[in-house]
Amino acid sequence: KQEVTQIPAALSVPEGENLVLNCSFTDSAIYNLQWFRQDPGKGLTSLLLIQSSQREQTSGRLNASLDKSSGRSTLYIAASQPGDSATYLCAVAANFGNEKLTFGTGTRLTIIP
Amino acid sequence: GAGVSQTPSNKVTEKGKYVELRCDPISGHTALYWYRQSLGQGPEFLIYFQGTGAADDSGLPNDRFFAVRPEGSVSTLKIQRTERGDSAVYLCASSLRVGGEQFFGPGTRLTVL
């Protein structure tokens, strides 16, 4: 059974710093990996999707990498802003034709102005 | 609409009652997913539809839970004889194609008293 772990559970950094969020998964046979942000009391906003054949994806100040063989992904946020404060979740899809996502418990990020 | 919508946004019910939760996916999205999120946890998969049929219902916790998507668009999650342990946020997501990026709705917060 796939298990997804995100460490740390919470992180606080001063505004302007670059930071890295970590995600690990136990079964490397994944189809894709998706990063989301969730604001308190809200749904999930998709940030980046990495296919299993890709090594990284970039969107603005965000960069996600994937090392499937070691079961790891990182989300890099450059020049953090207070608006980046949210919970960040990673999720993996098992196989094409089995698209249900298995989520980690998230990292709660606070950017200190 | 522009995104996935879910109604109601909040539902309070008494133990033993029947509830229906509705999801309107993004127009043209063929895949639809239901997840459940408890406080402090990542979402957990319930059921996945491809078109009108349930392709994977392995996440439904028991036979009190049922979901339909009769015309391949709107979906309804039905919970019979609700229990206090059913209290959670129920999230719906859709994707344009099998294996594609999943886009989430704002969720329905269900509280069973």
Side-chain angles (χ1 to χ4, degrees):
Chain A
K1 178 187 171 187
Q2 178 74 270
E3 292 183 3
V4 180
T5 302
Q6 292 184 250
I7 296 173
L11 179 66
S12 294
V13 300
E15 180 179 1
E17 285 198 0
N18 304 325
L19 60 102
V20 174
L21 306 180
N22 297 295
C23 172
S24 61
F25 44 95
T26 55
D27 186 348
S28 62
I30 65 169
Y31 181 69
N32 63 43
L33 183 146
Q34 205 166 343
W35 281 93
F36 298 88
R37 71 172 278 167
Q38 186 172 33
D39 294 283
K42 305 292 185 183
L44 279 65
T45 300
S46 178
L47 297 174
L48 290 164
L49 171 74
I50 309 178
Q51 300 292 351
S52 61
S53 58
Q54 298 175 318
R55 297 284 293 183
E56 65 178 321
Q57 281 283 355
T58 298
S59 176
R61 294 182 295 108
L62 306 180
N63 176 277
S65 68
L66 174 64
D67 184 342
K68 203 173 75 159
S69 62
S70 67
R72 295 179 186 276
S73 176
T74 62
L75 179 67
Y76 174 84
I77 303 177
S80 58
Q81 303 171 357
D84 296 331
S85 297
T87 295
Y88 289 80
L89 294 152
C90 73
V92 297
N95 294 294
F96 184 83
N98 184 3
E99 285 71 27
K100 61 187 178 185
L101 294 175
T102 301
F103 282 84
T105 53
T107 294
R108 188 173 69 254
L109 176 66
T110 302
I111 305 301
I112 305 165
Chain B
V4 178
S5 62
Q6 293 186 245
T7 55
S9 56
N10 282 284
K11 176 70 177 179
V12 180
T13 191
E14 294 179 344
K15 180 175 178 295
K17 299 290 187 182
Y18 168 84
V19 297
E20 290 189 351
L21 312 179
R22 177 187 168 106
C23 172
D24 278 88
I26 294 172
S27 178
H29 281 198
T30 60
L32 185 146
Y33 311 79
W34 283 98
Y35 297 85
R36 178 168 73 171
Q37 186 175 26
S38 300
L39 192 63
Q41 302 296 315
E44 293 182 322
F45 170 79
L46 295 176
I47 186 169
Y48 153 54
F49 288 90
Q50 180 57 36
T52 60
D56 184 346
D57 64 358
S58 62
L60 295 177
N62 51 59
D63 61 6
R64 295 186 298 105
F65 289 75
F66 189 72
V68 296
R69 194 185 185 198
E71 299 179 356
S73 178
V74 170
S75 176
T76 304
L77 178 65
K78 308 180 181 193
I79 310 174
Q80 299 178 320
R81 305 183 304 281
T82 52
E83 300 177 356
R84 293 193 179 89
D86 299 336
S87 296
V89 176
Y90 289 80
L91 295 165
C92 176
S94 69
S95 66
L96 180 61
R97 57 173 176 80
V98 168
E101 187 175 6
Q102 293 187 27
F103 296 90
F104 280 74
T108 293
R109 181 176 299 278
L110 175 66
T111 303
V112 182
L113 301 177

